[in-house]
């Protein structure tokens, strides 16, 4: 157990639907990062939150949104899902700058 | 977009041999990190090397960094079957948010 908890582990849904992925960061970590991993695109940074505020945005589609709550857990919302959104979605957290990041085990999303 | 490129994309060696993976990146960095990913699972932080460091060791791992060539290498000595995984380098740039930018990874297979 890395200390970063992601739920659910697997999700199968139909095109056009909306899903919410949840992440609880390691205790004490204020930063949460979301990544998408697909076979053709590799690991793509989506978005970062720090202590409840959006800090950086990467290749995140307008159909996707995220937030970090006061208890520091984060949710990634994916809407109007397309087949191409099928991927592994990882959450990572970090504490002090200059140290490694801790990744969750991911949510495997399959859009059918 | 990917910051780092790993070389080779795939590497297959015999157990007990040493494995060397290389990573090149494009911009100046704050630090460079190496991660391991077992098939379909989360990423595990292996080692972090700062831009002012040239070499770092952790157990059977040795990482070098050449900022003039914008390259790094990861050496795994006395490889074991359990080292079979994908290895990614990731960089953190000095400006802005401390997000990790990953390369495409090296798929390492250790043959017993």
């Amino acid at each position: 157990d890395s200390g970063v908890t992601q739920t659910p582990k697997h999700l199968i849904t139909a095109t056009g639907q909306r899903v919410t992925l949840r992440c609880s960061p390691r205790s004490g970590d204020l930063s949460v990062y979301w990544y998408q991993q697909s076979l053709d695109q590799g690991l793509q940074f989506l978005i970062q939150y720090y202590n409840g505020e959006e800090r950086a945005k990467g290749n995140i589609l307008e159909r996707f949104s995220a937030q970090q709550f006061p208890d520091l857990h984060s949710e990634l919302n994916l809407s109007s899902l397309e087949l191409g959104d099928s991927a592994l979605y990882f959450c990572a957290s970090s504490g002090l700058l200059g140290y490694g990041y801790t990744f969750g085990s991911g949510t495997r999303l399959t859009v059918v | 977009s990917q910051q780092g490129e790993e070389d080779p994309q795939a590497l297959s060696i015999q157990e007990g041999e040493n494995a060397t993976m290389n990573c090149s990146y494009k911009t100046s960095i704050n630090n460079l990190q190496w991660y391991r990913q077992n098939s379909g699972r989360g990423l595990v932080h292996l080692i972090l090397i700062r831009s002012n460091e040239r070499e770092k060791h952790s157990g059977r791992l040795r990482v070098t960094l050449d900022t003039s060539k914008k390259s790094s290498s990861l050496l795994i000595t006395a490889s074991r079957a359990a080292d079979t995984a994908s290895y990614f380098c990731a960089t953190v740039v000095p400006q802005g948010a401390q997000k990790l930018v990953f390369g495409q990874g090296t798929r390492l297979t250790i043959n017993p």
Side-chain angles (χ1 to χ4, degrees), chain A residues 3-60:
Chain A
V4 175
T5 304
Q6 286 189 250
T7 57
K9 292 193 185 310
H10 302 276
L11 200 49
I12 301 175
T13 190
T15 54
Q17 294 298 305
R18 171 190 168 95
V19 297
T20 297
L21 312 184
R22 182 189 168 101
C23 168
S24 294
R26 194 179 60 162
S27 178
D29 286 354
L30 299 180
S31 280
V32 169
Y33 309 79
W34 286 97
Y35 285 84
Q36 179 194 57
Q37 186 179 34
S38 59
L39 283 175
D40 55 344
Q41 294 292 322
L43 272 158
Q44 295 288 327
F45 168 71
L46 296 178
I47 197 164
Q48 178 203 359
Y49 280 84
Y50 177 82
N51 202 20
E53 294 190 3
E54 182 184 303
R55 179 61 69 92
K57 243 179 180 177
N59 302 321
I60 187 166

Side-chain angles (χ1 to χ4, degrees), chain B residues 19-80:
Chain B
T20 299
M21 289 158 273
N22 302 296
C23 167
S24 60
Y25 56 92
K26 299 173 186 174
T27 67
S28 60
I29 60 171
N30 183 301
N31 64 67
L32 185 145
Q33 305 178 29
W34 285 90
Y35 288 79
R36 182 187 74 227
Q37 184 182 32
N38 291 87
S39 182
R41 306 190 65 175
L43 288 87
V44 175
H45 177 255
L46 295 176
I47 197 164
L48 180 152
I49 187 166
R50 295 180 170 78
S51 60
N52 61 352
E53 297 175 312
R54 292 295 166 258
E55 188 171 312
K56 211 161 182 181
H57 297 254
S58 177
R60 294 184 295 113
L61 305 181
R62 173 178 169 253
V63 168
T64 62
L65 179 65
D66 186 335
T67 53
S68 66
K69 295 181 180 177
K70 292 187 170 57
S71 67
S72 174
S73 68
L74 171 67
L75 168 67
I76 303 175
T77 60
S79 63
R80 305 168 182 169

